[in-house]
Amino acid sequence: MSKVEFSPSLMTMDLDKFKEQITFLNDHVGSYHIDIMDGHFVPNITLSPWFIEEVRKISSLPMSAHLMVTDPTFWVDQLIAIKCEWICMHAEVLNGLAFRLIDKIHDAGLKAGVVLNPETPVSAIGPYIDLIDKVTIMTVDPGFAGQRFLGSTLDKIVELRALRDKYDYSYVIEMDGSSGRKTFERIDQAGPDIYVIGRSGLFGLDEDIAISWQTMIKDYFDKTGKELK
């Protein structure tokens, strides 16, 4: 990817202003990040395929589902049924399932992603790295908003860029966790293609989503010298 993309994490939006915030963001972002948690892989229970269908009533942007679940097959089948554009599964629960689920997602004309927890090395996805469309690096412990940023995880983004260049892989690289004014500079140096942006970087900056967006744009420029639309 030649241009950085910001993907808002809708788990962290103000649900009292659901329509207002989505309508505004439709003109400014390239996709939405949907966290689906089952209460087992992580303690929380959050969004669902139903939520994706609700967003689609007012948005035509691609949806990226991040499955923090112990039974990915159950959720993959549901997301295929509603044609969720990106289905991203945790590497930690894919042993024995990876090839089957990646093929199933691709056969449905959708894109398959894999997510790595902070403790999980890039080597864990080596057997199928050439098949996936996106790799998401968790820069926080998963399952809660507002977790401590783990700077050492950025090394995996650098590693993934090097592998992609060397072997001509086609995946995009996404980072997820605590991106904002305090971390933009370090993240930019690692070079992900997609920033998942949540409360600290966007939704928590102001009650007015337009002001929050402009503040985020300024923060990003101040820390990186790069402009976003």
Side-chain angles (χ1 to χ4, degrees):
M1 294 178 65
S2 59
K3 187 177 181 180
V4 168
E5 176 186 326
F6 278 51
S7 186
S9 173
L10 298 189
M11 179 183 76
T12 62
M13 72 183 297
D14 185 347
L15 292 177
D16 287 338
K17 300 178 179 179
F18 175 84
K19 186 173 182 180
E20 172 190 335
Q21 293 190 342
I22 295 294
T23 300
F24 174 85
L25 290 169
N26 283 340
D27 295 327
H28 297 278
V29 303
S31 66
Y32 290 119
H33 185 90
I34 314 294
D35 287 306
I36 296 177
M37 307 179 190
D38 65 356
H40 298 285
F41 184 78
V42 292
N44 279 337
I45 297 174
T46 53
L47 306 180
S48 69
W50 171 85
F51 183 84
I52 292 173
E53 293 183 291
E54 292 301 301
V55 177
R56 280 188 169 151
K57 292 178 181 178
I58 53 174
S59 179
S60 60
L61 293 181
M63 306 288 166
S64 181
H66 173 190
L67 296 179
M68 285 175 266
V69 301
T70 56
D71 182 6
T73 302
F74 173 80
W75 296 96
V76 165
D77 287 343
Q78 291 192 52
L79 292 164
I80 286 174
I82 64 168
K83 299 189 182 303
C84 181
E85 289 84 356
W86 294 85
I87 303 176
C88 303
M89 309 161 288
H90 266 267
E92 297 82 14
V93 296
L94 280 183
N95 192 34
L97 298 171
F99 291 98
R100 186 183 322 145
L101 290 180
I102 292 169
D103 286 348
K104 178 180 279 193
I105 292 166
H106 285 161
D107 288 346
L110 306 170
K111 295 183 178 180
V114 175
V115 187
L116 300 180
N117 273 343
E119 302 89 347
T120 305
V122 171
S123 60
I125 61 173
Y128 49 86
I129 193 171
D130 58 321
L131 302 177
I132 52 182
D133 304 296
K134 176 161 69 174
V135 184
T136 301
I137 298 301
M138 294 300 299
T139 54
V140 298
D141 284 330
F144 298 89
Q147 295 295 294
R148 180 171 72 89
F149 181 76
L150 303 170
S152 61
T153 59
L154 297 176
D155 292 341
K156 287 188 277 190
I157 295 174
V158 176
E159 182 180 355
L160 284 165
R161 286 175 60 87
L163 287 170
R164 184 172 64 184
D165 290 344
K166 182 176 181 180
Y167 296 106
D168 199 29
Y169 294 142
S170 59
Y171 56 73
V172 295
I173 305 167
E174 179 178 75
M175 64 74 55
D176 182 3
S178 291
S179 56
R181 183 173 181 83
K182 293 180 180 180
T183 58
F184 278 151
E185 184 174 5
R186 294 178 69 187
I187 297 168
D188 178 72
Q189 290 171 354
D193 304 306
I194 303 171
Y195 290 61
V196 175
I197 195 85
R199 284 201 60 78
S200 61
L202 176 62
F203 291 110
L205 300 180
D206 194 272
E207 292 184 0
D208 186 320
I209 188 62
I211 295 174
S212 290
W213 181 261
Q214 291 303 319
T215 301
M216 185 198 74
I217 296 297
K218 182 179 184 302
D219 288 344
Y220 183 74
F221 178 79
D222 288 346
K223 294 300 182 180
T224 69
K226 298 176 181 178
E227 294 183 352
L228 296 170
K229 70 174 183 176

